[in-house]
Amino acid sequence: MIIYLICINILTFIFYSVDKFLAINKYYRISEKLLLTFSALGGALGAFFAMILFKHKTLKIKFYFFNIIFILIWLFLIIYNYCLT
């Protein structure tokens, strides 16, 4: 599970950085739905770091809200999986 989370966070970080690059160069963008889907699948921490590092999607409150919620959910799942079972 830890290897999965590391990989999905790296992939999500890359998606956010590519989307920022596409936004700067006025190309077709990665959809917000896809970005949030990868966050929900476990990449919220990578998304949050990319948002801060690249100053991307920082004006959209829903990205902060959902990424924090997803981080908390995954944190709970990790704690539940490794500590309570």
Side-chain angles (χ1 to χ4, degrees):
M1 184 167 163
I2 297 299
I3 293 172
Y4 166 77
L5 287 174
I6 291 170
C7 292
I8 194 74
N9 275 287
I10 291 170
L11 187 61
T12 306
F13 183 88
I14 291 169
F15 275 142
Y16 273 73
S17 61
V18 167
D19 190 51
K20 177 66 176 188
F21 172 80
L22 295 173
I24 291 171
N25 293 301
K26 300 190 183 346
Y27 291 116
Y28 288 107
R29 307 273 304 279
I30 298 171
S31 72
E32 290 183 354
K33 184 177 180 181
L34 183 65
L35 292 174
L36 287 173
T37 299
F38 273 91
S39 294
L41 292 174
L45 195 58
F48 197 74
F49 284 136
M51 285 175 61
I52 293 169
L53 182 65
F54 300 119
K55 295 182 176 112
H56 188 52
K57 302 288 185 191
T58 54
L59 297 177
K60 298 202 174 202
I61 301 298
K62 76 177 180 181
F63 277 87
Y64 279 114
F65 176 76
F66 282 117
N67 281 318
I68 290 171
I69 295 297
F70 295 146
I71 288 169
L72 292 174
I73 290 170
W74 277 97
L75 188 60
F76 171 78
L77 290 173
I78 290 169
I79 291 169
Y80 181 79
N81 192 32
Y82 287 107
C83 296
L84 299 177
T85 58

